[in-house]
Amino acid sequence: MTHAARTSPEGRPAPAALESVHQALRVLEVVNRCSGGVNLTRIARETKLPQLVLARAVEQLIRANLVTPVGPDAYVAGHALLLSDTQGGEGRGHLHETLAWVRDAVGAAVYVARYTDGEVSITQYADGPAAPVVEEWVDFRVAAHASAVGKALLTQLDHDDRRDHLSRHPLTPFTRHTLTSARVLFRQLDARPPNAPLLDLQEYALGTVCAAVPITAGRNPECVALSIPVPDPGRLKQAARILQSEAAAVLLALIVAGSTRRTARRPEDTILSTSA
């Protein structure tokens, strides 16, 4: 937690919009160290955060249930942090709760993906009856150029690593909307405004649109994404805006939980299986 609070992934500076996560971690480090409770004066002294920044960080931690107020000016570790400790440090309970909350907020299935060992992998997801997962009719590992998840991971790679990925996974056209030019794809990735979501407008599958926001909790690029099984631009725009605003909460949950390892596949997990 201390390392995550003070550093960003090697070679990739932390996005400005997610700087609040690092500030919140600095606060959480102090609260977690003081098991009997700690007041704002001591937190401010140890973190050296300005008053308004400290107030926002504390508010974010309380909302995430990582810090609990026990008086007008005293705070202790929250239920979610204790839950992480009781689950062997993986914190799956808190992370799953966070993803479920984001799923309900955006009204769509949400995913966490990671680029590891040169491949795209879905590490966590949250779905439901009203928020079905996208049908993985083509393995996501070969569809990075066509999926919002893949684009959000590729945009965090340098030019050579992108080229290496595409040399192993050619730009196959899955629909009439799929980009098949590396030059156009790279231009699209590099022209993206900072912190803007990456989109898949029926490029992976007809009838499905997706959005993804880059986040990183370790050395490997990660992202949080959503999928909507209807080509509704208005709904996608609104959901992507909410996803962007809640990306920091997902990143915070990942860092605190240390849950960047791949989840074991289950036979019933269609989203994690290769069907083509």
Side-chain angles (χ1 to χ4, degrees), residues 142-156:
V142 301
H145 63 288
S147 66
V149 161
K151 292 179 185 180
L153 297 176
L154 290 177
T155 197
Q156 300 179 67

Side-chain angles (χ1 to χ4, degrees), residues 7-240:
T7 64
S8 58
E10 183 178 359
R12 295 190 307 278
L18 298 182
E19 178 62 25
S20 62
V21 172
H22 298 282
Q23 295 164 347
L25 284 170
R26 290 164 62 185
V27 174
L28 188 58
E29 180 189 353
V30 176
V31 175
N32 194 44
R33 189 169 64 244
C34 303
S35 58
V38 61
N39 59 30
L40 285 176
T41 301
R42 179 173 176 181
I43 297 174
R45 182 172 65 248
E46 296 198 20
T47 61
K48 296 181 173 56
L49 291 175
Q51 186 175 1
L52 289 178
V53 173
L54 176 58
R56 284 196 298 268
V58 171
E59 181 182 1
Q60 183 180 25
L61 291 169
I62 292 175
R63 180 184 175 191
N65 204 16
L66 291 167
V67 162
T68 299
V70 290
D73 187 28
Y75 303 89
V76 297
H79 170 72
L81 190 60
L82 299 177
L83 180 63
S84 294
D85 291 338
T86 61
Q87 304 230 357
E90 294 184 20
R92 290 177 180 170
H94 172 49
L95 181 57
H96 288 176
E97 286 179 359
T98 301
L99 292 179
W101 188 92
V102 175
R103 174 201 62 202
D104 295 341
V106 301
V110 296
Y111 317 80
V112 173
R114 187 186 188 199
Y115 194 79
T116 180
D117 297 328
E119 301 293 351
V120 173
S121 64
I122 304 295
T123 59
Q124 304 282 344
Y125 68 94
D127 63 344
V133 295
V134 63
E135 179 186 355
E136 191 182 5
W137 75 282
V138 173
D139 194 325
F140 282 140
R141 289 175 294 185
V142 301
H145 63 288
S147 66
V149 161
K151 292 179 185 180
L153 297 176
L154 290 177
T155 197
Q156 300 179 67
L157 303 181
D158 61 28
H159 182 82
D160 290 341
D161 286 338
R162 292 178 188 174
R163 283 288 183 188
D164 174 71
H165 183 88
L166 296 185
S167 71
R168 293 179 286 108
H169 302 301
L171 284 77
T172 304
F174 302 120
T175 75
R176 64 180 180 273
H177 305 291
T178 306
L179 286 176
T180 57
S181 167
R183 180 180 299 177
V184 174
L185 174 63
F186 290 1
R187 186 185 305 125
Q188 183 185 89
L189 298 179
D190 294 335
R192 180 185 68 93
N195 304 310
L198 282 300
L199 302 179
D200 159 18
L201 303 176
Q202 302 188 77
E203 298 167 53
Y204 175 75
L206 292 176
T208 299
V209 291
C210 307
V213 177
I215 59 173
T216 298
R219 293 183 179 276
N220 298 85
E222 291 176 285
C223 70
V224 58
L226 63 84
S227 66
I228 300 177
V230 290
D232 184 342
R235 182 180 170 190
L236 177 63
K237 183 178 181 180
Q238 179 181 13

